[in-house]
């Protein structure tokens, strides 16, 4: 912490919270990580140049909302909890308004993201962690499974086929992120860690939401623990808020990018891919499998729902 002494007290506090959130998320991810499922190696004639097959010091990090999945996981989770009578109609109306706002605005608003976070924490307070995990499995089947972008899923599978670990990195609750990662056959997930005592949620967070700089801290911590070489790793996101995470790795990808990320990616010649319309923003370095996914992904509606932020 001494290395932060040159910052103002306020900025030191914010940085410390990001580090705490990142380390907590990395620890939770490592504890819950599963073995990567065995898959058949790609045909010798079609093996892509990237990812590099057999490079066990490389891994891939995928943002969730609007990168891997259409929409925001927290809103789909809220719908599922309402169905199970976790909260009242007026709270559902608030979730509906937030979702409509993101559909129309296509960008993140701090006030609305803060409200979404506080709503979720108040709803789960007093409930058991095991209960939410079980419900998360059901909600995935009800609202999330059909919203996975086939193109991004193909990119993740290319890394798995190359023998690399693949992690979700999201501001969504880590328990929900872990459910999604397991259902997709990924290695694990980094997510926002809610405090629990005796297996019961307290309504508080450990650190702060895994958003922006906190995501980068989580990836850095996990890379250190896993002995990864970040220059050989890849990261995928739709949001300019994830530029800190994307900038950590040697292979950053802008997926369904917002306008700020698209501009930034073009300036730095990062790879781009947009599955909302099926168009190819760039062909360089994209595995062939993702091209097939892009055709399927292009039939889906373009929904620009974005992640929670503090």
């Amino acid at each position: 912490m001494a290395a932060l002494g040159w910052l103002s007290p306020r900025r030191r506090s914010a940085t410390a919270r990001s580090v705490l959130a990142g380390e907590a998320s990395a620890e939770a991810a490592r504890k819950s990580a599963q073995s990567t499922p065995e898959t058949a190696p790609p045909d010798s004639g079609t093996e892509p140049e990237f990812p590099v097959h057999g490079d066990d010091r490389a891994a891939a990090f995928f943002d969730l909302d609007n990168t891997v999945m259409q929409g925001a996981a927290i809103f789909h989770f809220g719908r599922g909890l309402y169905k199970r009578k976790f909260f009242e109609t007026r709270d559902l109306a608030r979730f509906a308004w937030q979702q409509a706002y993101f559909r129309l605005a296509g960008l993140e608003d701090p006030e609305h993201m803060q409200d979404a976070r506080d709503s979720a924490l108040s709803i789960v307070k007093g409930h058991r962690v095991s209960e939410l995990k079980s419900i998360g499995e059901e909600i995935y089947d009800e609202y999330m499974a059909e919203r996975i972008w086939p193109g991004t899923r193909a990119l993740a599978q290319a890394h798995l086929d190359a023998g690399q670990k693949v992690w979700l990195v999201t501001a969504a609750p880590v328990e929900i992120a872990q459910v999604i990662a397991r259902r997709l056959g990924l290695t694990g997930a980094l997510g926002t860690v809610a405090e629990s005592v005796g297996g019961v949620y307290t309504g508080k967070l450990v650190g702060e939401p895994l958003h922006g700089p906190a995501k980068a801290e989580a990836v850095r911590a996990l890379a250190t623990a896993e002995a990864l070489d970040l220059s050989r790793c890849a990261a995928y996101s739709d949001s300019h808020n994830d530029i800190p995470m994307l900038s950590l790795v040697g292979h950053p990808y802008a997926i369904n990018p917002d306008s700020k990320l698209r501009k930034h990616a073009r300036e730095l010649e990062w790879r781009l891919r947009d599955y909302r319309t099926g168009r190819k923003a760039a062909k360089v370095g994209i595995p062939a499998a993702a091209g097939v996914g892009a055709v399927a992904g292009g039939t889906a509606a373009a929904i620009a729902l974005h992640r929670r932020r503090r």
Side-chain angles (χ1 to χ4, degrees), residues 20 117-118 121 171 192-196 202-210 308 310:
L20 177 60
R117 187 199 73 176
D118 292 343
L121 286 172
T192 296
V193 178
E195 182 184 75
S196 63
T202 66
K204 301 178 182 178
L205 293 182
V206 178
E208 63 179 18
L210 203 68
R308 298 181 302 148
R310 187 166 181 260

Side-chain angles (χ1 to χ4, degrees), residues 34 89 98 105 124 191 211 213 219 271 274-275:
Q34 312 146 46
T89 304
Q98 290 165 341
V124 302
H211 179 85
V219 169
R271 298 175 179 91
D274 199 320
Y275 297 122

